[in-house]
Amino acid sequence: MVTFFQGLPGQQSVPGTLDFAGSPQKPRSISEAESETSMSEASSEDLMPSQEAPDGEEESVKKKEKKSKGLVNMFSVFTKGKKKKKDQPRLSDPEVQPKSRPELDGPLSTVEELKEALERGRLEVAWQVLALERQLEAAAAAGGTSDEELVWRQSKVEALYVLLRDQVLGVLRRPLEVAPERLSQALAVVSQEELEDRRASGGPLAAALEATRPRRWLQLWRGVVAEVAAERLDAQPATVPEGRSEAESRFLHMGRTMKEDLEVVVERLKPLFPDEFNVVHTYAERYHEHFASHLCTLAQFELCERDTYLLLLWVQNLYPNDILNSPKLAQELQSVRLGSLLPPKQIRLLEAMFLSNEVSNVKLLMTRALELESQRWAQDVAPQSLDGHCHSELAIDILQIISQGQTKAENITSDVGMQIKQLLLVELAALLRSYQRTFDEFLEKSKLLRNYRVNIIANINNCLSFRTSVEQRWQIPHDSLNRLVEPLKDLKAHGFDTLLQSLFSDLKPLFKKFTQTRWAKPVETLEEIIRTVSVSLPEFSELQDCFREELIEAVHLHLVKEYIIRLSKRRLVLKTAEQQQQLARHILANADAIQHFCTESVSAPTHPKSPRQPHQASPSLGSSATWLHPALPTIAEIIRLQDPSAIKIEVATYATWYPDFSKGHLNAILAIKGNLPSSDVRSIRNILDINTGVQEPSRPLFSLIKVA
């Protein structure tokens, strides 16, 4: 999982978690100001009977709130984990629980006294304001009071409520800056007001009085939380680290701020707030709404490729996983259905943009990597040597480019990862075809370069790196994998053909000696052929082991094929059984020597003329072409046998091993047997008709041999 909250270079901690000190107060309306003015002009007798203030009442209250010490200091206070005082009251304590009705120990204060007390932040007088409201309702219900009097008295009560509301919401705007007792008072007032809203709902109201309930202070508090969320999330980051876009810095700031603020809500506010406030859910919803609003606005603009990716990364991965599902928040937010930061349609559009951008980038980078590699070939730069093998970084570069694109998509969602996988496989297939064409051009145009052959070996070795990495990275069906790497098979085959071309040219006149001497010295001729091959082998030691063995298999096939071609030239006709048996013995001896050379005792000593100090091969390269073993011995047996029926059995068996063995090839072999009647030749040849329809051979032999 990608985590943006840890290990980011240059990222400073978000200063001040849930610091509400600088939040502006909600402005008063004109009607509220007028109500306060009229209230200040009224005497206590205007609203209630004259009462003397109780003796000993304090004339002033010392302010308990401390000034904010700055965002950083506030954050440090929240994260140091100070222990709560033992005497700290909680909402579960009876003295701070909201009451169903005001309990007054003495007579009600005057309006002026209540106004002064509220302006000084004395929330304990809230119950007297409620008592005045109830007295007003009782007077209206009893009758006998003029409508003008009721309206006038109600304006005084509402003016007091405006003061009370502003004080309460001011405390709740910055709940961690006030003493716990004061926060408990504010919460209790809101709870009491909610009770009064429910009590007053549906009840009769005098015609002269204006409906003032429900006041919905709990809803007003939620609005305050929304304002706080906007202020916190919209704050500009202190610095924008170099190399990071403005959008990236905004994402990071908003994400860190939301995560840290919600953790403070869970740890510090939840224990203090009554359940009815649903404080964690409220903060989470308001922060989510503002975060989502910001991203929706951002998504309407034309984003650069990087910002498109970052937006998706936050919406689809970091926000739901690193924030909402973080260890401290996951359990608390399980029941909160916040949803996605962006609507599904917008997400699909951004995903399509990302996929298009990323695939284009991958294609461009792969093309550039291939161009740089081909330039090194053309400039005759020798390849690297790794563990004694010619090595090229092309496969590593290409697969890293693809892997990075795949990883970016998977970081968004696994579904986006699956979508880009198919697109990248298509681009990889196109790249491999381009690689093959570029390599073929190199083979054709660069034959005179000094490092021509070692660069061919390095590119053949690349085929293994490509195939192995693709198999490990993507679990794709075998057939699909074979189609994908088909260009690599052609590249390898063309490379083998080029590497072996000079060797096979050197062997051609040696094979001609078989027919030129009429098979008089087959042992000496074959020994010369094997010596020539042995001299050429050290150059191939820098191939990967699997390719070196495959190349020896190609040499093995070439030796068997050329030997059969010499036997099929129709220049040798033996009329006696003894002559045929002697030739059969020579063929068997040669077949055994070829098989032994290719599969058991082929060594690869260091080439004395090679400046690259090639890797010392193992004593046995081990051609795995066991399917070639019966090719020459069976021909020897056909030549040795004299009984037509026995020859038919050998021919029928031979045709099952080599389905491309045709009547033309059989005729060329039977031509050696000068004592075989034409009728027997026709009868033996017809045995191949029985095998007509056998599936084509997976590995050709006789289809490579042309006969007259």
Side-chain angles (χ1 to χ4, degrees), residues 560-562 564-565 568 662 665 701-707:
V560 172
K561 180 196 71 172
E562 289 298 317
I564 294 174
I565 289 174
S568 304
S662 67
H665 298 112
L701 173 59
F702 285 93
S703 59
L704 303 175
I705 301 172
K706 296 180 180 180
V707 291

Side-chain angles (χ1 to χ4, degrees), residues 73-360:
N73 290 339
M74 282 300 301
F75 178 69
S76 64
V77 170
F78 300 150
T79 55
K80 286 180 181 177
K82 292 184 177 181
K83 297 182 180 179
K84 297 178 181 179
K85 297 179 181 180
K86 294 182 179 179
D87 298 334
Q88 177 178 319
R90 303 291 298 272
L91 287 177
S92 57
D93 298 335
E95 60 269 22
V96 295
Q97 281 291 308
K99 305 174 181 60
S100 60
R101 65 179 63 185
E103 297 176 2
L104 302 176
D105 297 332
L108 292 176
S109 301
T110 65
V111 171
E112 280 295 336
E113 291 169 340
L114 291 176
K115 174 179 178 293
E116 182 182 358
L118 288 174
E119 288 175 342
R120 292 157 63 185
R122 293 181 56 190
L123 299 182
E124 63 271 17
V125 302
W127 318 117
Q128 297 193 43
V129 177
L130 177 58
L132 291 180
E133 182 183 19
R134 290 185 178 178
Q135 285 184 357
L136 177 62
E137 293 173 355
T145 306
S146 66
D147 290 347
E148 292 79 3
E149 176 73 12
L150 292 174
V151 170
W152 188 74
R153 290 174 61 179
Q154 186 181 38
S155 68
K156 311 310 173 189
V157 172
E158 292 308 309
L160 292 175
Y161 265 117
V162 169
L163 288 174
L164 178 60
R165 180 199 65 196
D166 289 347
Q167 287 291 339
V168 169
L169 294 182
V171 170
L172 297 183
R173 177 182 290 272
R174 44 187 182 274
L176 295 179
E177 291 185 15
V178 299
E181 295 86 349
R182 182 165 176 78
L183 175 60
S184 298
Q185 288 177 337
L187 294 172
V189 171
V190 175
S191 296
Q192 182 64 52
E193 286 300 309
E194 289 296 304
L195 286 176
E196 287 299 309
D197 283 349
R198 291 192 288 272
R199 182 189 65 81
S201 62
L205 188 68
L209 296 180
E210 181 182 352
T212 58
R213 289 195 182 275
R215 299 186 187 279
R216 298 187 177 90
W217 281 18
L218 194 58
Q219 184 174 330
L220 293 179
W221 166 71
R222 295 190 184 103
V224 169
V225 174
E227 294 173 4
V228 170
E231 293 166 6
R232 295 285 296 147
L233 296 179
D234 289 344
Q236 292 296 325
T239 59
V240 177
E242 185 177 355
R244 207 173 271 159
S245 68
E246 181 180 356
E248 184 177 356
S249 298
R250 291 295 303 161
F251 293 152
L252 185 57
H253 165 74
M254 295 177 74
R256 287 173 62 98
T257 300
M258 179 174 179
K259 180 174 182 286
E260 294 175 358
D261 285 6
L262 291 184
E263 288 176 352
V264 170
V265 170
V266 170
E267 295 173 354
R268 303 294 302 277
L269 294 188
K270 184 182 177 182
L272 301 177
F273 275 63
D275 292 342
E276 65 196 79
F277 281 74
N278 216 359
V279 63
V280 176
H281 291 195
T282 299
Y283 272 89
E285 289 169 350
R286 299 307 176 268
Y287 272 71
H288 172 86
E289 289 168 359
H290 192 76
F291 205 159
S293 175
H294 180 83
L295 295 191
C296 284
T297 301
L298 182 64
Q300 303 304 315
F301 294 93
E302 184 175 353
L303 301 174
C304 67
E305 294 178 9
R306 179 175 176 82
D307 289 345
T308 299
Y309 168 66
L310 290 173
L311 182 56
L312 282 172
L313 187 64
W314 274 98
V315 171
Q316 298 286 73
N317 182 353
L318 298 180
Y319 183 74
N321 295 321
D322 284 20
I323 298 180
L324 302 185
N325 202 36
S326 64
K328 294 182 180 180
L329 299 179
Q331 185 174 358
E332 296 291 339
L333 300 180
Q334 279 182 350
S335 58
V336 186
R337 297 184 177 181
L338 296 178
S340 174
L341 289 172
L342 290 176
K345 183 177 180 181
Q346 187 70 47
I347 292 175
R348 299 288 86 80
L349 178 61
L350 290 172
E351 287 178 348
M353 292 173 58
F354 163 76
L355 291 172
S356 177
N357 292 338
E358 194 62 28
V359 170
S360 296

